[in-house]
Amino acid sequence: MTPRITDVWVYLSASPLLGLTLTLIAYQAAYWLYQRAGFNPLLNPVLLAILMLVTALTLTGTSYATYFDGAQFVHFLLGPATVALAVPLYLQFDKLKKLALPLAVALLAGSLTAIVSAVGIAWLLGASETTLLSLAPKSVTTPIAMGIAEKLGGIPSLAAVLVMLTGVSGSVMAKYVLDGLRITDHGVRGFAVGIAAHGIGTARAFQVSEQAGAFAGLGMGLNGLVTAMLVPLLLVLWRWI
Amino acid sequence: MLGALTVLLVFQLIGEVLVHFARLPIPGPVIGLLLLFLGLCLRGSLALPLRDTANGILQHLSLLFVPAGVGVMVHFSRVSGEWLPILAATIISTALAIAVSALVMQALMRGREGADDGKGGA
């Protein structure tokens, strides 16, 4: 007796194999397109892969939870990958040491810009207070952003979505913004992208060069710490005024 | 490669444990990153397998964000309710943050190169 196609589907959709395989296929298809388009930033592979997967899940009526059962194996690697950032950081340490002051000042300026402009623009356009509080930490890596949003009264899962939007839009725009400003140094480019667009920006920087990636990783890590301190401080200041 | 992967996981584990017990507002892997970095500085050298494994994982860092990114679909209705302020704020502010960080750093590096007579350079 041969199983019907619907039986096979019932089996597959309950197994983690499908979510995991789909994630790898979607990403590689997206990367192939990105490569074929001459690495056009608009065809960012993370963005494309997400769009493909959301479309596939929506069309097949598969829930995110079911998909994540399989995709979690990829997601899990974010932890060791973050630890692995220590390696390029170590290799670029001599360069970084010499640039301590420019790095520190740029970090503070970039971090403040990200927080104040995001909240300011959304406030002008009439966003609710919960949304504003969830927007404040949008430029930092997801677990830190969720923690900050939760502490302030925002919505952690909304913060996670905003972090994603920030990372993807930053990766798409970075080349245009930096080329427009005629910034050529890979260290400067990487650091700016890491501050503004955290891990997704850092991943993008690693596709350009190890130097850009190392500076981006540093920017991402430091901005996580600075934002965690700045946002509560700015909130107190804002309520006081 | 297996040894190098184990090193990464051990440092992540130490990071998670420290964060849990010290109630730090920082994710465990970030502490793991700092500890591994300190370890490498103390050791003064980097084993080749660790370098290769780290580079291998980091080359595919983009892929690792895909599963979390697909999670946006769950919040589609919340985002679509306030889509204009949310999209305008994230996109404009991210571009501004990239521009400001890069311009400030470049300006300070130029100033420093001038003071150092350009030695070292960039």
Side-chain angles (χ1 to χ4, degrees):
Chain A
M1 204 173 84
T2 46
R4 282 181 309 167
I5 185 81
T6 45
D7 296 338
V8 176
W9 173 248
V10 167
Y11 164 72
L12 274 182
S13 59
S15 132
L17 180 65
L18 196 60
L20 178 59
T21 313
L22 277 182
T23 305
L24 291 174
I25 293 176
Y27 181 75
Q28 285 176 82
Y31 198 86
W32 181 81
L33 277 172
Y34 175 56
Q35 215 167 15
R36 285 298 295 258
F39 299 101
N40 185 328
L42 290 175
L43 291 177
N44 182 277
V46 180
L47 177 63
L48 281 183
I50 292 171
L51 290 177
M52 283 184 219
L53 287 164
V54 170
T55 312
L57 296 181
T58 312
L59 288 179
T60 56
T62 310
S63 74
Y64 178 64
T66 306
Y67 161 76
F68 197 76
D69 267 349
Q72 62 175 319
F73 300 109
V74 171
H75 182 75
F76 171 79
L77 289 173
L78 272 177
T82 305
V83 179
L85 285 169
V87 169
L89 217 53
Y90 171 73
L91 292 173
Q92 299 282 336
F93 191 47
D94 281 338
K95 254 180 228 158
L96 295 169
K97 254 191 312 203
K98 283 186 206 132
L99 294 172
L101 184 72
L103 287 169
V105 180
L107 169 68
L108 212 59
S111 189
L112 270 174
T113 307
I115 302 165
V116 174
S117 66
V119 175
I121 292 166
W123 179 72
L124 283 175
L125 293 172
S128 65
E129 181 162 325
T130 332
T131 302
L132 292 181
L133 291 173
S134 312
L135 256 175
K138 71 162 180 54
S139 274
V140 306
T141 186
T142 312
I144 299 186
M146 290 176 81
I148 297 174
E150 187 171 25
K151 234 189 317 190
L152 300 179
I155 307 168
S157 57
L158 178 61
V161 171
L162 299 174
V163 167
M164 278 294 152
L165 285 176
T166 301
V168 171
S169 65
S171 305
V172 171
M173 293 185 296
K175 185 175 158 48
Y176 301 115
V177 174
L178 293 167
D179 285 353
L181 296 171
R182 301 213 178 115
I183 286 161
T184 50
D185 185 278
H186 278 201
V188 177
R189 292 174 73 103
F191 195 62
V193 173
I195 291 174
H198 55 87
I200 303 183
T202 301
R204 170 91 182 86
F206 268 110
Q207 289 169 354
V208 177
S209 71
E210 186 187 81
Q211 191 195 355
F215 275 73
L218 182 73
M220 167 184 82
L222 291 177
N223 194 25
L225 303 179
V226 168
T227 303
M229 289 184 276
L230 272 182
V231 171
L233 214 75
L234 287 170
L235 189 67
V236 170
L237 206 70
W238 185 51
R239 295 233 160 107
W240 188 63
I241 298 167
Chain B
M1 192 210 149
L2 202 57
L5 201 59
T6 312
V7 169
L8 295 179
L9 288 173
V10 166
F11 275 93
Q12 184 184 353
L13 188 65
I14 299 173
E16 303 278 10
V17 171
L18 277 178
V19 166
H20 187 78
F21 284 106
R23 295 175 174 279
L24 299 172
I26 303 162
V30 175
I31 301 291
L33 186 171
L34 289 174
L35 291 175
L36 177 58
F37 176 71
L38 286 177
L40 288 171
C41 289
L42 287 176
R43 191 169 180 263
S45 71
L46 173 64
L48 205 60
L50 184 58
R51 180 178 184 164
D52 290 344
T53 305
N55 284 341
I57 296 183
L58 292 174
Q59 251 158 34
H60 299 291
L61 189 58
S62 293
L63 162 70
L64 311 187
F65 289 99
V66 171
V70 176
V72 174
M73 67 186 272
V74 178
H75 298 278
F76 194 70
S77 57
R78 182 174 282 142
V79 174
S80 64
E82 287 184 283
W83 67 272
L84 180 66
I86 285 178
L87 280 187
T90 41
I91 293 174
I92 298 172
S93 126
T94 305
L96 279 176
I98 294 175
V100 170
S101 315
L103 287 174
V104 169
M105 185 166 161
Q106 173 139 302
L108 288 169
M109 278 168 65
R110 286 239 170 95
R112 170 162 303 200
E113 266 166 39
D116 285 357
D117 274 335
K119 75 178 168 193

